[in-house]
Amino acid sequence: MHEMSIALAVIEQVERAAVEHGARGVESVRLLVGELAGVVPQALDFCYELACADTVLAGSTLTVESVEGRARCADCGHEWAVGMPPDLGCPGCSGARVELLGGRELQILQVRWAADPVLARADQEG
């Protein structure tokens, strides 16, 4: 389950940025994940929630935006969505020389800081 290592890497980067920005809490993190990155969104969400405990990200939400895998044929220039499992044969000319244009992304798009730790605020409510 490499989703745990991905969650830990995201948390590490956000914690480092929180220190740099003087943030005391994190409300949300938005990730861009390519469909060819081999990430199971539900597993990443589960691991993120577990790994956030006792960090500045505790109680934050994770939003994952998916990017479809796309390829371009080197022979005819046709571009297409490769799907899952990826179909790397050109639907235009049946060529096999292809260039992947997208779908392997794994990037933090946005972090929303909170004035206070999110989990502490939730504990004080109700």
Side-chain angles (χ1 to χ4, degrees), residues 54-67:
D54 299 325
T55 73
V56 71
L57 290 90
S60 66
T61 59
L62 176 67
T63 303
V64 175
E65 294 182 18
S66 182
V67 176

Side-chain angles (χ1 to χ4, degrees), residues 2-120:
H2 77 124
E3 285 79 1
M4 181 56 86
S5 62
I6 293 169
L8 291 170
V10 168
I11 290 167
E12 181 181 328
Q13 289 185 31
V14 173
E15 281 188 308
R16 195 174 313 134
V19 169
E20 291 174 12
H21 291 86
R24 296 184 54 205
V26 175
E27 282 204 23
S28 62
V29 175
R30 195 168 59 127
L31 293 182
L32 185 66
V33 178
E35 71 176 345
L36 303 177
V39 175
V40 177
Q42 296 85 358
L44 179 59
D45 196 46
F46 176 76
C47 292
Y48 178 84
E49 187 175 336
L50 287 177
C52 283
D54 299 325
T55 73
V56 71
L57 290 90
S60 66
T61 59
L62 176 67
T63 303
V64 175
E65 294 182 18
S66 182
V67 176
E68 71 180 4
R70 294 201 58 81
R72 178 181 19 226
C73 179
D75 295 325
C76 72
H78 182 76
E79 293 183 16
W80 72 99
V82 298
M84 281 302 289
D87 180 1
L88 298 178
C90 176
C93 72
S94 301
R97 294 185 327 129
V98 299
E99 172 188 8
L100 280 177
L101 302 174
R104 293 180 288 183
E105 298 84 350
L106 187 54
Q107 178 182 10
I108 298 172
L109 291 177
Q110 181 183 46
V111 176
R112 298 188 84 165
W113 305 120
D116 295 310
V118 173
L119 194 57

